[in-house]
């Protein structure tokens, strides 16, 4: 059993409980609006709270930054996260494994589905230029990458996956208003189950900055990647999930 590890927020000095939050209220900027912001901060448990920034956002909204003390504690030992359960491979190792074990190119399709037009994330993973010095999946010689771009309807994504005989489908979602990312991902996973069956569908991977990585099973996908994911992370996971684990499963059956 994990021992409790209690921590408090840090602002000016260790353990002082100081936090900074920002939010917008749907009221014009005036003294009453600033008082409303401090009232909200107090109800959030900030005592005392200091208003450090207020700015009108058009005639009817005000943006605030509030700084203050909270008494809440965090037990780090109870925090649940998705740990990496696959080895991190170099590009050369990824290519070598695909060539040796799969003996053909690994086919990956990616798209922003629904009305989401933000392709920065999916492009960073798929396009050869990648992100932050990490080459995208197009850089991997043993992968064939199909980037469908933005605002792709789920039926079109399913059809493309069937036509390309995709091994994996990457779903990118940035727009989160009214939980659109969750609705769209559930719709996609249901469509793939219906079209392919649970045992024959491509590997489904969802990604975006607002996803909870613990929700993969609930959303019907195999893996969720969040912020700071690199193309190498995705490539390593695909090789492990599509090749290495299947090889281990075969060995277990024949043992």
């Amino acid at each position: 059993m994990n021992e409790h590890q209690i921590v408090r927020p840090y602002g000016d000095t260790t353990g002082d409980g100081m936090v900074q939050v920002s939010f917008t209220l749907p009221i014009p900027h005036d003294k009453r609006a600033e008082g409303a912001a401090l009232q909200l901060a107090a109800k959030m448990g900030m005592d005392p709270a200091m208003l450090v920034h207020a700015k009108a956002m058009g005639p009817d909204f005000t943006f605030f930054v509030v700084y203050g003390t909270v008494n809440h504690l965090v037990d780090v030992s109870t925090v649940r996260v998705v740990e990496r359960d696959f080895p991190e491979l170099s590009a050369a190792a990824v290519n070598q494994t695909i060539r040796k074990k799969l003996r053909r190119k690994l086919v990956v399709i990616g798209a922003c589905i629904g009305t989401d037009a933000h392709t920065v994330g999916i492009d960073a993973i798929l396009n050869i230029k990648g992100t932050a010095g990490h080459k995208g999946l197009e850089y991997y010689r043993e992968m064939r990458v199909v980037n469908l771009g933005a605002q792709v309807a789920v039926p079109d994504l399913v059809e493309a996956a069937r036509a390309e005989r995709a091994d994996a489908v990457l779903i990118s979602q940035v727009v989160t208003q009214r939980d659109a990312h969750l609705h769209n991902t559930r719709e996609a996973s249901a469509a793939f189950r219906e079209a392919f069956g649970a045992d024959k569908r491509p590997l489904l991977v969802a990604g975006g900055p607002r996803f909870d990585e613990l929700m993969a099973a609930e959303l019907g996908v195999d893996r969720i990647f969040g912020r700071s994911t690199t193309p190498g992370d995705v490539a390593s996971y695909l090789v492990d999930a599509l090749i290495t684990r299947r090889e281990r499963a075969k060995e277990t059956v024949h043992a």
Side-chain angles (χ1 to χ4, degrees):
M1 180 179 296
N2 292 332
E3 295 184 0
H4 293 296
Q5 182 182 354
I6 307 299
V7 297
R8 294 188 68 193
Y10 166 87
D12 298 318
T13 59
T14 302
D16 60 10
M18 300 296 288
V19 299
Q20 180 172 290
V21 297
S22 61
F23 52 86
T24 300
L25 292 180
I27 49 180
H29 180 212
D30 57 18
K31 289 292 185 180
R32 186 178 297 273
E34 294 184 359
L38 290 173
Q39 184 183 112
L40 175 61
K43 291 184 177 182
M44 293 168 63
M46 300 177 68
D47 182 26
M50 297 172 285
L51 182 64
V52 297
H53 179 75
K55 183 177 181 180
M57 304 291 288
D60 301 317
F61 297 84
T62 309
F63 174 76
F64 300 96
V65 178
V66 180
Y67 186 63
T69 304
V70 297
N71 293 315
H72 306 300
L73 304 177
V74 175
D75 185 351
V76 179
S77 66
T78 65
V79 175
R80 296 177 60 227
V81 297
V82 176
E83 299 284 359
R84 175 191 287 272
D85 57 355
F86 55 90
E88 185 174 4
L89 303 176
S90 66
V94 167
N95 287 324
Q96 182 180 26
T97 303
I98 296 173
R99 184 168 56 252
K100 180 179 179 181
K101 300 292 186 179
L102 198 60
R103 298 183 179 179
R104 61 170 174 81
K105 290 188 181 295
L106 191 155
V107 182
V108 181
I109 289 182
C112 297
I113 61 175
T115 59
D116 200 326
H118 299 76
T119 63
V120 173
I122 195 69
D123 288 343
I125 298 299
L126 297 183
N127 290 359
I128 190 170
K129 65 181 180 181
T131 180
H134 299 274
K135 296 290 188 181
L137 299 190
E138 289 180 344
Y139 173 76
Y140 293 75
R141 294 190 307 274
E142 300 301 324
M143 289 191 183
R144 183 164 67 84
V145 176
V146 180
N147 188 345
L148 298 179
Q151 297 183 322
V152 178
V154 168
D156 294 337
L157 179 61
V158 172
E159 185 57 34
R162 189 191 303 276
E164 300 289 348
R165 297 184 177 181
D167 296 295
V169 175
L170 309 186
I171 298 168
S172 176
Q173 292 283 265
V174 175
V175 174
T176 59
Q177 282 86 347
R178 298 182 181 179
D179 287 337
H181 61 310
L182 304 181
H183 170 76
N184 291 339
T185 304
R186 288 192 180 98
E187 180 186 353
S189 64
F192 273 94
R193 285 196 304 272
E194 181 178 353
F196 290 89
D199 58 336
K200 294 184 178 180
R201 68 163 174 78
L203 197 72
L204 294 180
V205 179
R210 299 294 180 87
F211 277 111
D212 180 349
E213 294 183 351
L214 294 169
M215 292 182 67
E218 180 182 338
L219 296 179
V221 298
D222 298 287
R223 187 82 180 199
I224 292 175
F225 284 104
R227 297 183 304 275
S228 303
T229 298
T230 68
D233 294 330
V234 177
S236 297
Y237 169 73
L238 294 181
V239 165
D240 184 72
L242 290 169
I243 300 176
T244 307
R245 295 182 194 181
R246 292 180 183 179
E247 289 291 322
R248 287 199 297 263
K250 290 179 180 178
E251 293 174 358
T252 301
V253 170
H254 295 299

